[in-house]
Amino acid sequence: MCKIDGNTSVYGLIGYPVRHTLSPAIHNRLAAMTKISSVYLPFEVAGEVESAVRGAFLLGIQGLNVTVPYKNTVISALSAIDPEAERIGAVNTLVKTQNGYKGYNTDVIGLRRELKEAGVSLFGKKIVILGAGGAARATAMMCAADGAAEIYFLNRSYEKAVSLAEAVHQYTADEHRHEVIVRAHRIEEYHKLQNELIAFQCTSVGLYPNVNEVVISDSNFYKKLDIAVDLIYRPKQTRFMELVKQEGGVALNGSKMLIYQAVAAYELWNHIELSEELIGELINALHGEGLIDG
Ligand code: ATR
């Protein structure tokens, strides 16, 4: 650990609750590995997120991560926002500037990096997204920005899927992007989908401790999937991932995304790029401490 003195930079996480978080372990280890004098602490904020952000700025806190339930509401407390985070409507990383904090969404940067590492390109692909909440919105906007040809939502609440589909369609029209087909469906309409899909599981179904739950259990759905990502990282292998593999698909989980969103925040805060080797050492260290599944 580097010396803590009058020049040490302070970073943290705001959310509610935040005590279970892995972020301090990741960021304080990164500080030690890169020999940067900084500390990262959890700050449990029970309401009044705007006041908390103003206070953090006045205290000179250099950067913050933001988690549930403030990823949307924190936006009104920012002095600037990255265009991709604005489009997604959610921010998880704040970087201190002269006038206030600029907001970014490094969850998407993390997911993009996980896909790249796995050799998955979205360009020209057909995508199916389970869910229509915040995670689904971020994933869909990423797919549209990265050149997906078709995006299908399957959600329990059909109206939410329709309004998300409209938002994604609007984005592609505003940006004069290539023509993207975007459609909303009820979950039971999965049989209408074609084959060779890339799937993103963006609901909370299957999250620990409800590890046997899955939104769709019919093997015919999984036959349509070439590659599937479950954004859940606990458990390491979800029921959804098991079903994907049983039908011969490739299944990824959200644990790399978790590491990479932290790496991306650390890079933004410190204006550096971390090598793959250093990230590998970080992952090994976290495994060694039993903090992430190996
Ligand atoms: P997040 O920000 O993690 O995406 P969210 O915005 O609350 O969280 O979204 C949760 C998603 O999981 C929603 O798509 C939700 O479906 P509804 O829009 O119908 O609520 C989905 N979800 C949660 N529990 C579910 C369940 N038991 N079956 C099907 N979908 C479920």
Side-chain angles (χ1 to χ4, degrees), residues 78-101:
L78 304 177
S79 61
I81 186 165
D82 169 72
E84 181 160 54
E86 186 169 33
R87 188 189 314 143
I88 291 166
V91 154
N92 78 322
T93 299
L94 311 189
V95 179
K96 188 165 179 284
T97 67
Q98 220 171 0
N99 311 318
Y101 291 100

Side-chain angles (χ1 to χ4, degrees), residues 136-181:
R137 184 182 175 100
T139 302
M141 290 295 185
M142 176 192 74
C143 291
D146 293 356
E150 300 172 31
I151 301 174
Y152 301 97
F153 292 99
L154 299 177
N155 197 47
R156 180 178 59 179
S157 315
Y158 177 63
E159 302 68 31
K160 275 170 74 179
V162 169
S163 89
L164 183 48
E166 276 167 11
V168 174
H169 193 260
Q170 193 60 50
Y171 156 63
T172 57
D174 288 350
E175 297 278 309
H176 305 293
R177 294 244 155 207
H178 60 288
E179 192 60 38
V180 186
I181 296 169

